[in-house]
Amino acid sequence: MPFPSDTAPDTEVFDLIDREVERQCTGLQLIASENFTSPAVMRAVGSALTNKYAEGYPGKRYYGGNAIVDDIESIAIERVKALFGADHANVQPHSGANANMCAYQAVLDAGDTVLGLSLDHGGHLTHGSPVNASGKLYHFVAYKVTPGDERVDMDQVRDLALEHRPKLIVAGTTSYPRRLEPEAFKAIADEVGALFMFDAAHIAGLIAGGAHPNPVPYADIVTFTTHKTLRGPRGGCILSTAQHAAAIDKAVFPGWQGGPLEHVIAGKAVAFHEAAQPSFRDYAQQIVRNASALADALVQRGFRLVSGGTDIHLMVVDLRPFDADLTGKEAQTVLDVAGITLNKNSIPDDPRSPFVTSGVRIGTPSVTTQGMKEPEMVRIAELISRALRHRTDAAELAAVKADVASLCAAFPAY
Ligand code: DSN
């Protein structure tokens, strides 16, 4: 039987997809949590595996016909265990947020105390924000960056851990530009008898590429997303010690999710294979070098960077020294017009609301995938500063957009 779209093609949706591909390829993609995944990953995600139901795990499913899917999921599991040196892996979480909630469910009871980085200082919604299920189900106590150097102060983490005796300490960030040292968190967790979870959502690709310390040897549980620096399909993953393996698996299914997305799991397997190649190490190191070069070039143009710089793939820019009236919201809108995509971001203790903000977050994973290097980072800083300086001048914004398009044309993503 023919499919309806054989005779009535959905031009409405496919035209929009074409336009989105064009937008991605003609503009600068500087959202720190985004990347260009490979055609191989997209082929897996767009495959007939989307048709298959496979509740359960390889060898233990609730439906028939899963022999091939079992092989695919087993390959994904073995690859990611080898990539990070983990005892156990669950590749089924649909997202990083799900991975975190499943990890909590595996080791916590409702009301248990957990230590996590405050959202407005660079943590994640699932690290105990009161509007998120994590903050409603568990008693999160937030650590923050210090007002002086805007870095996480391990003495403060230790003091809070000694005071509140958490069952779990969570390290991990979404908009904190510095490394969190897994070993230091582990020492505090051991001192207070807490479990230690590292949320590596943003930095999984840096870890895989040797550009960030690996938390796996120190943490009971490591969660991450597969689509950020790791450059795979959109999704999540949980690594754990053997001790927590059964509880993690039970928490993912049947605890938190139903049928796994086996087409996405195949995409994850492909991404883990790609991340194990020597060229991925070069990629990860270049992401960090590019972030550092972009950070320096922005400082030279009058921007202030939260914590003074970056150790990883992202920076948080305080716009106020550049222009006291410029908000993150306006900067995001203006830069969008100029073909530069990034997101507004609160700076620590931001006097403006999270919908307005005084900062923006900038990341280099996508432009590094395109092959850009340090000289292009200087050009990007100049384009950002030019657009923001002339933000009420439509002709100048159009000129910046044309320069952005010509830079991107020299570094095609696909
Ligand atoms: N939305 C992700 C980010 O942009 O960092 C976090 O979930």
Side-chain angles (χ1 to χ4, degrees):
M1 196 176 165
F3 291 104
S5 53
D6 291 344
T7 48
D10 187 349
T11 49
E12 199 177 0
V13 165
F14 285 101
D15 285 353
L16 286 168
I17 291 175
D18 289 345
R19 280 178 53 199
E20 172 60 11
V21 173
E22 193 192 339
R23 185 198 68 78
Q24 290 183 15
C25 294
T26 55
L28 284 166
Q29 308 307 324
L30 298 175
I31 291 181
S33 47
E34 292 183 353
N35 212 328
F36 292 103
T37 198
S38 71
V41 167
M42 286 196 280
R43 185 175 159 219
V45 175
S47 71
L49 293 172
T50 193
N51 299 333
K52 194 70 200 90
Y53 252 124
E55 276 102 329
Y57 290 101
K60 269 170 50 188
R61 306 279 190 185
Y62 287 81
Y63 293 89
N66 275 307
I68 293 167
V69 153
D70 277 2
D71 283 351
I72 289 170
E73 189 166 335
S74 299
I75 287 170
I77 290 167
E78 292 312 314
R79 284 182 181 170
V80 75
K81 279 165 57 181
L83 191 61
F84 293 99
D87 291 344
H88 178 72
N90 187 307
V91 296
Q92 293 191 0
H94 301 328
S95 67
N98 275 19
N100 286 349
M101 296 310 296
C102 293
Y104 299 152
Q105 183 166 316
V107 296
L108 299 175
D109 294 311
D112 277 346
T113 299
V114 187
L115 224 55
L117 178 60
S118 175
L119 175 64
D120 56 352
H121 282 212
H124 188 248
L125 269 175
T126 56
H127 298 175
S129 163
V131 297
N132 182 261
S134 59
K136 294 182 195 296
L137 284 171
Y138 307 107
H139 172 235
F140 267 83
V141 175
Y143 54 91
K144 293 177 175 259
V145 300
T146 57
D149 64 2
E150 299 176 307
R151 294 179 188 228
V152 170
D153 171 7
M154 294 311 292
D155 289 336
Q156 186 208 25
V157 176
R158 180 169 178 268
D159 288 347
L160 287 171
L162 287 167
E163 182 184 345
H164 295 278
R165 295 276 157 185
K167 189 161 174 190
L168 178 71
I169 297 179
V170 179
T173 61
T174 60
S175 57
Y176 176 71
R178 299 295 178 177
R179 283 181 177 184
L180 293 182
E181 298 299 337
E183 201 172 350
F185 276 91
K186 169 69 173 161
I188 295 170
D190 283 349
E191 187 180 349
V192 300
L195 294 168
F196 172 37
M197 170 175 144
F198 198 106
D199 177 348
H202 265 261
I203 54 165
L206 303 185
I207 296 165
H212 188 285
N214 185 0
V216 167
Y218 304 101
D220 297 281
I221 301 171
V222 174
T223 58
F224 60 92
T225 55
T226 46
H227 51 276
K228 296 187 175 93
T229 50
L230 197 54
R231 215 165 57 179
R234 193 155 290 272
C237 184
I238 306 175
L239 307 175
S240 76
T241 57
Q243 187 197 342
H244 298 291
I248 293 284
D249 284 353
K250 243 172 93 179
V252 175
F253 176 83
W256 198 264
Q257 295 187 165
L261 308 178
E262 292 296 340
H263 54 306
V264 179
I265 289 172
K268 291 175 186 176
V270 173
F272 300 148
H273 171 73
E274 291 184 353
Q277 305 308 310
S279 61
F280 196 86
R281 294 187 80 77
D282 301 337
Y283 169 62
Q285 314 285 336
Q286 188 64 47
I287 292 176
V288 176
R289 283 198 294 270
N290 281 352
S292 179
L294 183 53
D296 289 347
L298 287 168
V299 168
Q300 280 165 20
R301 284 159 182 79
F303 294 94
R304 188 187 82 81
L305 298 183
V306 169
S307 83
T310 175
D311 301 328
I312 52 173
H313 63 296
L314 68 81
M315 63 217 74
V316 179
V317 183
D318 178 356
L319 298 164
R320 293 171 304 177
F322 178 80
D323 182 336
D325 294 330
L326 178 61
T327 66
K329 183 179 176 193
E330 188 184 7
Q332 178 185 308
T333 305
V334 165
L335 292 170
D336 240 344
V337 172
I340 301 172
T341 306
L342 45 64
N343 63 280
K344 64 182 181 236
N345 209 96
S346 296
I347 57 168
D349 303 318
D350 202 321
R352 294 182 171 118
S353 84
F355 297 104
V356 179
T357 81
S358 301
V360 292
R361 185 184 66 166
I362 305 182
T364 54
S366 299
V367 290
T368 308
T369 294
Q370 287 175 273
M372 295 190 199
K373 295 210 164 91
E374 288 87 335
E376 287 73 42
M377 298 305 115
V378 177
R379 283 181 68 188
I380 290 173
E382 183 51 31
L383 290 163
I384 290 173
S385 133
R386 210 173 115 206
L388 294 179
R389 256 189 285 118
H390 300 281
R391 61 185 186 278
T392 55
D393 180 344
E396 186 61 16
L397 292 181
V400 173
K401 186 172 185 175
D403 287 349
V404 164
S406 86
L407 173 58
C408 292
F411 295 91
Y414 297 120

